[in-house]
Amino acid sequence: LFSDRAAFAIIRQQHNNGASAREKIRSRRWAHQGRRHVDLITSTQSNTVKRIQSLLTKRKKRTELGSTVVEGPKMLFDLLENQKTRHLVRQVLVSVDKPEWRDELLPTKNCMSVKVPPLEVCSDTVTPQGIVATVRIPQKEVEGGGKPPVAQSNRNSLYLVLDGVSDPGNVGTLLRSCVAVNVAGVLLMPGCCDPWNPKTVRSAMGCCFRVPIVSVPSLQEALRVLEAWQVSDVFAATMQKNGDTHSLPYDSVDWTRRPSALVVGNESSGLSQEVRSMVTSGDLSALYVPMEPDSVESLNAAVCGSVILFEYHRQCRTSG
């Protein structure tokens, strides 16, 4: 460990250069058997800490910086162990109480040690877990008439379209189900919660980084993107039959014959009026999950969507 005199000299030099002394980051450094040095953050007023706080609470800042926050060893190390997501991790803050994590991360990532008070204000959970990271957002936006991103479709690809699903827990659960059944991509229509909200990321257990997510400004744009992805059949989940003669039981649909998409609506109001109008006119197909008479009025959006997604997966498995 550097002496106090050496540490002060470094801080003074930073101040003279107009650098980050004003962040109140004490630039004491560790030298771990020839490994890279690690900065120590001691103040809640650090620019790094403030940036993470803004990413936790402001969607606009997440969009501006193209980053979100991941907290906890399980989620972070899962991202690092997966070759498809490892490159997304930008910076890691590790508690001074967890030197083993810091040493493990040093060879490959921008890692900083943090004292407990500043790490606590970087946490979005009741009990901080000792490690926080900023992670790049791989999300794509499609403006009106813009070119859709390339999707890897095959003969039985399934896409999920979220129509105003606003609860982070529901969106996170659906994203986990998407990864579990190998959904090809997710489209977010207006009214959906931010999939990069730390609460959503936590609910998804990081699965939001493992499935393509595309935001679209309208139903028409969603249909245009699906058409570019060679999707032939689009089904809207009506939650229940409601006497609609166009609505089919979800398990009577052949999900394996060609690329298709499933639309799931808002938790309380269900499908948007625009989607309902297309179902009524016959331009969109509708399906529902049968339930026992006089049991419950409807299913939670995440439950309904996941039931249908796993039926798709069952059919893919049994069809060979």
Side-chain angles (χ1 to χ4, degrees):
L1 186 66
F2 278 16
S3 68
D4 287 342
R5 179 177 297 177
F8 178 76
I10 293 172
I11 292 175
R12 184 173 57 187
Q13 181 180 2
Q14 289 177 336
H15 179 76
N16 292 336
N17 293 336
S20 56
R22 287 183 295 273
E23 294 184 10
K24 297 183 181 178
I25 298 178
R26 185 183 303 168
S27 293
R28 292 181 176 178
R29 300 172 181 269
W30 284 265
H32 291 285
Q33 300 176 353
R35 293 184 178 182
R36 288 165 46 191
H37 295 298
V38 185
D39 286 331
L40 172 65
I41 296 178
T42 63
S43 171
T44 58
Q45 299 304 306
S46 157
N47 284 345
T48 298
V49 171
K50 289 180 177 180
R51 182 174 67 253
I52 291 177
Q53 286 180 301
S54 67
L55 291 174
L56 286 173
T57 58
K58 299 176 182 178
R59 182 172 188 167
K60 183 178 180 180
K61 182 61 69 172
R62 291 192 290 269
T63 301
E64 175 189 332
L65 299 180
S67 295
T68 187
V69 179
V70 167
E71 182 178 358
K74 174 71 168 64
M75 201 185 316
L76 177 57
F77 282 104
D78 281 350
L79 289 175
L80 291 172
E81 289 169 5
N82 189 318
Q83 291 185 354
K84 295 182 179 180
T85 58
R86 181 182 305 156
H87 68 284
L88 298 175
V89 179
R90 287 179 163 173
Q91 184 180 46
V92 183
L93 274 60
V94 184
S95 171
V96 291
D97 298 331
K98 302 291 183 181
E100 67 278 10
W101 293 346
R102 183 188 65 233
D103 292 348
E104 186 174 347
L105 290 165
L106 272 179
T108 57
K109 288 298 169 185
N110 179 12
C111 181
M112 304 181 76
S113 279
V114 190
K115 288 197 171 183
V116 173
L119 190 62
E120 285 181 342
V121 301
C122 291
S123 173
D124 191 45
T125 59
V126 176
T127 306
Q129 300 180 59
I131 190 167
V132 171
T134 57
V135 182
R136 182 169 69 82
I137 292 174
Q139 182 184 21
K140 299 180 182 296
E141 301 277 347
V142 176
E143 301 295 337
K147 184 179 179 181
V150 176
Q152 302 297 322
S153 295
N154 56 45
R155 67 178 181 86
N156 61 356
S157 294
L158 178 63
Y159 297 88
L160 178 65
V161 182
L162 300 186
D163 178 19
V165 180
S166 59
D167 180 74
N170 283 335
V171 172
T173 298
L174 285 166
L175 291 174
R176 291 182 74 180
S177 294
C178 284
V179 172
V181 306
N182 199 29
V183 162
V186 178
L187 295 182
L188 301 178
M189 287 172 50
C192 288
C193 81
D194 181 7
W196 310 111
N197 179 323
K199 291 182 174 62
T200 310
V201 173
R202 190 162 58 248
S203 176
M205 283 302 293
C207 285
C208 45
F209 300 104
R210 297 172 57 190
V211 60
I213 299 174
V214 180
S215 293
V216 291
S218 66
L219 172 61
Q220 293 306 316
E221 284 299 316
L223 295 175
R224 188 179 66 84
V225 171
L226 291 173
E227 182 180 7
W229 290 345
Q230 301 181 333
V231 172
S232 304
D233 299 324
V234 181
F235 297 92
T238 58
M239 301 295 188
Q240 53 188 337
K241 188 173 182 181
N242 279 339
D244 190 339
T245 56
H246 300 293
S247 193
L248 301 169
Y250 76 104
D251 52 358
S252 68
V253 175
D254 184 354
W255 296 99
T256 63
R257 63 176 181 167
R258 53 190 181 185
S260 55
L262 170 67
V263 183
V264 175
N266 179 270
E267 297 84 352
S268 58
S269 57
L271 297 168
S272 63
Q273 186 57 51
E274 192 177 11
V275 173
R276 292 180 188 177
S277 296
M278 293 194 70
V279 169
T280 302
S281 66
D283 294 323
L284 285 183
S285 301
L287 51 77
Y288 67 99
V289 177
M291 297 181 290
E292 288 298 309
D294 303 320
S295 55
V296 294
E297 182 180 350
S298 64
L299 293 176
N300 170 280
V303 172
C304 177
S306 295
V307 167
I308 299 170
L309 292 178
F310 276 92
E311 171 60 17
Y312 158 76
H313 188 245
R314 185 194 69 78
Q315 291 186 20
C316 290
R317 291 179 60 206
T318 56
S319 67

